[in-house]
Amino acid sequence: MWAAAFVAVAAVLAALLFLVQPESKSPANATLRTTVPRSGGTSDTASPAHAKPVMQAESPGFVGAERCSTCHTREASLWRQSQHAKAMQHASEDTVLGNFDDAGFDYFGTHSTFYRRDGKFFVRTDGADGKLADFEISHVFGVSPLQQYLIAFPDGRLQALSVAWDTRPESSGGQRWFHLYPDTPIRAGDPLHWTRREQNWNWMCAECHSTKLERHFAPASNSYATTFAEMNVACEACHGPGEKHLAWASAGANTTADPSRGLSVTLDERRGAHWNINPQSGNAARSEAPGARTEMGVCAQCHARRTSFAGGLSHTGDTFETHDLALLTAPLYHADGQQRGEVYNTGSFMSSRMYAKGVTCSNCHEPHSGALRAPGNAVCSQCHLPAKYDTSAHTLHPANSRGAACTGCHMPTTDYMVVDARHDHSFRIPRPDLSLTLGTPNACNQCHRENDAAWAAGVIEKHYGPVRKGFQGFGAAFHAAEQAEPGAEAALLAVTRDSSASAIARASALARLQPYLSAQSLAAVEAGASDPDPMLRGAAMDTLLAAPPQERVRIAAALIDDPSRIVRIKAARALAIAPDEGMTPAMRARLQPLFDDYIASQRANADRPEPLINLGLFYADRRDALAAEAAYREAMRLEPDFVPAYVNLADLYRAYGRDADAESTLATGLAKVRGDADLSHAMGLLRIRQGRRDEALDFLQQAASAAPGNPRYAFVLGVALHDGAQGAKAITALESALARFPNDPEILGALVSYTEETGDGARAGAYRKRLEGLRPGEIQMGSDPI
């Protein structure tokens, strides 16, 4: 299997690509360890006299919402009532919604107190050192259904307190303090503690809650001098700088001379388009095919799970010039594409039939207020005949009941940040039958909790018949891939070739092919690399990292001049492995700007350790060991307990025969993050290379125990036990692992080999049969993990 030699690096890259605030303390987020801000945890360091303010900067071309409102009075009036207008505000009597009348809140032994002093707002809570201290609230963040509070530190950081105020009415359970991680104690030093990088406003939040945000991070001092044009999400956050538009308006508003009206983006794709309802089907069709998806491009920069690689928002409507959108992959999405992690709305919407037919965000939402175009089911009745759909015969519920709401069945909610119920925007038909086969949730049982999915599936089949394909038909394939089931590769290939599927679904199938990459699926990757949609071309470049070097270079080279920046950046990563030897000067000249842009895209986020790891891997592929080492060490300085920096630096040293340096690096990491699975595993492999097998087994056992969900660690432990003349223990350990990972080819291959050695032909034959069923004709035996 081609992927075997490269999958480790590719998996690291995939894990680092999408960086947004985690919703819970989970193994998937455990590697995002962050360092405590350099400011201390006392009232002096957090006081206004010492905290560096976030400044409103002069922003060339940006004129401000007040200037816009002089002409656009209606739009400005709607906007002032929106959550965009109140996304971030100075803390004051008018903006603070929480109870600061000496209110207390207890959280796993920490008692926080919220109080006023001299007309200002304070909290006494645990600081970076774990001790109680007093902190002034500098800003409020959000208005509904919760409000968070920001605290300024001397190094320019603003940190979001994890105790938030529930702004919902008391009758709905609101008007209370609550913790964003209520079920797990988040202590000082934890990556999710409010003083740590995962709760840092400058990187995590500010770009989408302010207008023309500039982080201005200084790596040498590990500090910020963040500025913005306007504190909130104002007119120019979406429409771009207004200076030229003002000049156009002042010159007499001649659209013939300047059809763009001086704007960097014209959000007019709905102009002239109508939705006409077919009385037979009850559904509407767009009067003209959708053209540019500019509106979605503007909205998606913030209303999506995404990674910024430009250090700011695009004001042209081209998302892929500045951001990389997350695909429909685990653990962000369920196998059928329903939202799971905090994914906001864009990815779900792009997978929907509505998006495919040309629906835009503003078809349903008034863009300035953010409110729905019409209340309740009336917003859906704009395009769906109410005489057919807004009836009990269709909803199976009494009129005006909760179950009769269109959104209840077609846009079920998931709670994020404890109290924020977000609607799934994939607009799918309820599929309790998929709950039975894929284990995915369904809208029916979200309400009817007293009944099971089989009951719900029976009700649906009785009223609507046995065939309900729906638009999102990729669930079985994605589930097979997640479970490593036989036939997963073929199922994914079918999705990539399905022209009726959404682009994001096909791109997600390409991305999920990486562990299965073979000669057959490589052809699909090459086809994806030439697809008209940049999401597929980008996904092809990600998956290509698992291909043999010559194929990786051959396919990626065709995208050096791709029109989409995100594709060029990903092509650069794939081409990093290309050897300079034998390359023509002309080709070097073409590649260097590509490589420079890749480096710039990672440097744009140099206030995070993950892009520095990406740079280290890139430089390692470029055979620039010194630059790779420097990148890993920079990540360590930025965040001293960031495990991937130690693991990758140690691996770099191993590649250059510097085992003593590798040992020192891993030992330092283990001293900072005791018992970490990744560090223990790496140290175990090093001890094997050193011939110290007893010590190696201790470390490998620690790794397997600390990360029971990692099949590779279980496999390596089994191999090490076997090679240490503990064959019976090896088989026991591998069989235990196989119970958790029944389709893992490495574990099965090792069991075939080891049970044959014992003379147990029956067991060996059974394991061989299972292995053959995974990839017919491609039996892969257990390999040496060293």
Side-chain angles (χ1 to χ4, degrees):
M1 193 181 299
W2 288 350
F6 300 90
V7 71
V9 170
V12 170
L13 288 171
L16 298 179
L17 184 56
F18 303 112
L19 308 172
V20 300
Q21 186 168 357
E23 286 300 316
S24 62
K25 186 180 180 185
S26 65
N29 295 317
T31 58
L32 296 180
R33 298 175 175 84
T34 53
T35 185
V36 181
R38 294 192 177 189
S39 51
T42 67
S43 56
D44 286 340
T45 58
S47 69
H50 294 83
K52 183 187 295 184
V54 178
M55 301 297 292
Q56 183 160 342
E58 290 292 330
S59 298
F62 284 76
V63 300
E66 288 308 310
R67 296 288 300 278
C68 301
S69 68
T70 58
C71 292
H72 302 282
T73 54
R74 175 185 172 276
E75 290 80 4
S77 177
L78 290 168
W79 167 76
R80 289 191 184 101
Q81 303 307 311
S82 72
Q83 291 200 25
H84 279 168
K86 302 172 183 177
M88 179 174 171
Q89 304 171 87
H90 288 293
S92 71
E93 290 289 345
D94 293 331
T95 62
V96 171
L97 303 178
N99 180 2
F100 278 80
D101 296 329
D102 293 321
F105 178 76
D106 292 303
Y107 175 76
F108 288 101
T110 297
H111 182 77
S112 299
T113 306
F114 298 85
Y115 64 97
R116 289 176 167 86
R117 186 175 70 200
D118 300 328
K120 298 178 181 179
F121 299 84
F122 292 84
V123 60
R124 182 168 180 80
T125 192
D126 57 330
D129 56 4
K131 299 177 182 178
L132 290 179
D134 299 290
F135 301 91
E136 181 185 350
I137 305 300
S138 63
H139 299 83
V140 300
F141 213 56
V143 286
S144 177
L146 71 152
Q147 185 174 72
Q148 286 188 270
Y149 299 93
L150 303 182
I151 294 168
F153 284 88
D155 53 10
R157 284 172 166 79
L158 263 65
Q159 298 293 130
L161 199 66
S162 295
V163 181
W165 179 254
D166 186 341
T167 65
R168 299 174 302 166
E170 189 173 358
S171 59
S172 300
Q175 300 302 298
R176 63 184 177 110
W177 291 104
F178 71 99
H179 201 284
L180 295 176
Y181 305 98
D183 301 323
T184 305
I186 305 296
R187 315 252 185 226
D190 190 288
L192 298 178
H193 191 261
W194 75 269
T195 58
R196 300 295 298 267
R197 195 171 302 273
E198 298 309 317
Q199 310 298 342
N200 170 244
W201 167 86
N202 309 70
W203 193 90
M204 298 294 298
C205 322
E207 181 179 88
C208 287
H209 280 254
S210 300
T211 301
K212 185 56 178 172
L213 192 285
E214 301 282 353
R215 292 202 307 275
H216 296 303
F217 175 72
S221 60
N222 190 16
S223 64
Y224 290 93
T226 301
T227 63
F228 44 64
E230 293 185 84
M231 182 182 296
N232 53 11
V233 182
C235 311
E236 292 161 295
C238 301
H239 293 281
E243 186 176 60
K244 291 183 179 180
H245 179 63
L246 277 178
W248 169 83
S250 300
N254 189 335
T255 55
T256 302
D258 184 2
S260 72
R261 292 165 287 170
L263 294 168
S264 56
V265 58
T266 53
L267 301 174
D268 58 0
E269 62 195 78
R270 292 177 57 243
R271 183 170 298 163
H274 306 284
W275 290 89
N276 304 308
I277 298 180
N278 182 316
Q280 279 71 45
S281 68
N283 297 317
R286 204 173 193 267
S287 60
E288 56 188 52
R293 299 284 190 154
T294 308
E295 182 182 307
M296 173 61 88
V298 169
C299 299
Q301 292 180 97
C302 289
H303 293 273
R305 183 79 177 243
R306 83 285 186 276
T307 298
S308 170
F309 55 82
L313 301 183
S314 165
H315 295 294
T316 65
D318 188 349
T319 308
F320 299 110
E321 283 301 298
T322 53
H323 293 80
D324 188 21
L325 301 187
L327 299 176
L328 309 177
T329 52
L332 299 180
Y333 293 87
H334 291 285
D336 64 351
Q338 291 187 73
Q339 63 185 11
R340 185 177 180 185
E342 174 57 278
V343 294
Y344 309 97
N345 299 325
T346 300
S348 299
F349 184 49
M350 292 178 75
S351 73
S352 72
R353 187 190 299 274
M354 290 176 65
Y355 178 76
K357 296 296 185 180
V359 175
T360 70
C361 306
S362 62
N363 279 123
C364 300
H365 296 273
E366 203 293 320
H368 301 97
S369 68
L372 290 174
R373 291 283 187 182
N377 288 357
V379 72
C380 304
S381 296
Q382 295 179 111
C383 293
H384 302 284
L385 194 66
K388 178 173 183 177
Y389 292 108
D390 198 2
T391 66
S392 296
H394 176 73
T395 67
L396 308 184
H397 292 81
N400 300 318
S401 68
R402 178 186 175 191
C406 303
T407 55
C409 293
H410 299 290
M411 298 181 69
T413 60
T414 300
D415 289 341
Y416 299 103
M417 302 183 82
V418 182
V419 300
D420 194 359
R422 310 267 181 87
H423 285 283
D424 190 313
H425 278 60
S426 55
F427 298 98
R428 62 186 61 241
I429 63 174
R431 293 293 303 272
D433 56 313
L434 292 184
S435 298
L436 295 172
T437 57
L438 308 182
T440 51
N442 71 84
C444 304
N445 291 120
Q446 188 175 67
C447 293
H448 297 278
R449 298 179 186 275
E450 72 282 4
N451 296 308
D452 59 16
W455 168 85
V459 171
I460 295 294
E461 182 171 341
K462 176 182 176 181
H463 288 274
Y464 296 106
V467 179
R468 292 168 309 283
K469 180 180 179 183
F471 184 70
Q472 297 91 354
F474 49 78
F478 288 6
H479 177 75
E482 290 176 9
Q483 302 300 316
E485 293 177 356
E489 180 184 9
L492 291 173
L493 286 172
V495 177
T496 68
R497 297 164 182 158
D498 183 0
S499 60
S500 67
S502 63
I504 193 171
R506 295 174 60 216
S508 302
L510 270 181
R512 290 172 181 265
L513 274 171
Q514 193 179 77
Y516 302 96
L517 200 58
S518 66
Q520 182 182 13
S521 51
L522 185 66
V525 172
E526 187 166 9
S530 61
D531 192 274
D533 195 287
M535 294 197 79
L536 275 96
R537 301 198 302 276
M541 291 300 96
D542 289 337
T543 302
L544 195 61
L545 296 177
Q550 67 276 15
E551 296 296 330
R552 181 169 156 177
V553 171
R554 179 182 67 83
I555 295 174
L559 299 181
I560 292 175
D561 300 313
D562 193 273
S564 177
R565 188 182 178 211
I566 184 58
V567 178
R568 295 194 302 273
I569 286 172
K570 293 186 175 189
R573 182 66 192 89
L575 287 165
I577 203 169
D580 288 335
E581 299 81 10
M583 190 182 298
T584 66
M587 179 56 75
R588 285 199 197 98
R590 290 183 67 198
L591 281 177
Q592 195 55 54
L594 200 72
F595 291 156
D596 290 344
D597 196 30
Y598 177 83
I599 294 169
S601 74
Q602 303 306 306
R603 281 288 168 195
N605 294 305
D607 45 344
R608 295 285 302 195
E610 296 90 350
L612 298 173
I613 300 301
N614 288 343
L615 280 177
L617 294 167
F618 172 82
Y619 286 129
D621 273 358
R622 296 299 301 144
R623 301 161 191 80
D624 189 342
L626 292 178
E629 180 181 17
Y632 295 144
R633 291 202 173 278
E634 186 178 351
M636 291 177 188
R637 287 192 298 273
L638 184 67
E639 193 168 342
D641 56 359
F642 188 65
V643 167
Y646 295 92
V647 173
N648 282 281
L649 180 57
D651 194 58
L652 180 73
Y653 288 146
R654 176 201 59 77
Y656 285 88
R658 296 168 58 181
D659 273 4
D661 290 327
E663 181 175 1
S664 174
T665 298
L666 294 173
T668 301
L670 282 167
K672 295 182 181 297
V673 193
R674 297 185 183 279
D676 179 82
D678 298 336
L679 290 167
S680 297
H681 181 75
M683 185 67 90
L685 295 181
L686 175 64
R687 289 287 184 257
I688 287 179
R689 291 197 301 273
Q690 293 172 333
R692 298 156 66 176
R693 288 197 170 271
D694 289 343
E695 294 178 46
L697 283 172
D698 288 340
F699 280 111
L700 295 177
Q701 182 64 65
Q702 289 175 24
S705 299
N710 190 320
R712 177 70 178 176
Y713 291 176
F715 163 71
V716 170
L717 173 62
V719 173
L721 286 167
H722 172 269
D723 293 351
Q726 300 184 52
K729 286 187 177 181
I731 291 174
T732 299
L734 289 167
E735 288 181 331
S736 174
L738 188 65
R740 301 193 304 276
F741 313 107
N743 297 314
D744 187 273
E746 288 188 317
I747 294 173
L748 279 168
L751 282 170
V752 170
S753 178
Y754 299 163
T755 52
E756 278 183 344
E757 288 179 3
T758 66
D760 192 339
R763 286 168 75 191
Y767 289 134
R768 181 180 294 277
K769 185 176 181 180
R770 289 175 62 177
L771 184 59
E772 288 175 339
L774 290 179
R775 301 286 295 265
E778 279 193 43
I779 294 181
Q780 179 155 328
M781 304 298 290
S783 57
D784 187 348
I786 310 306

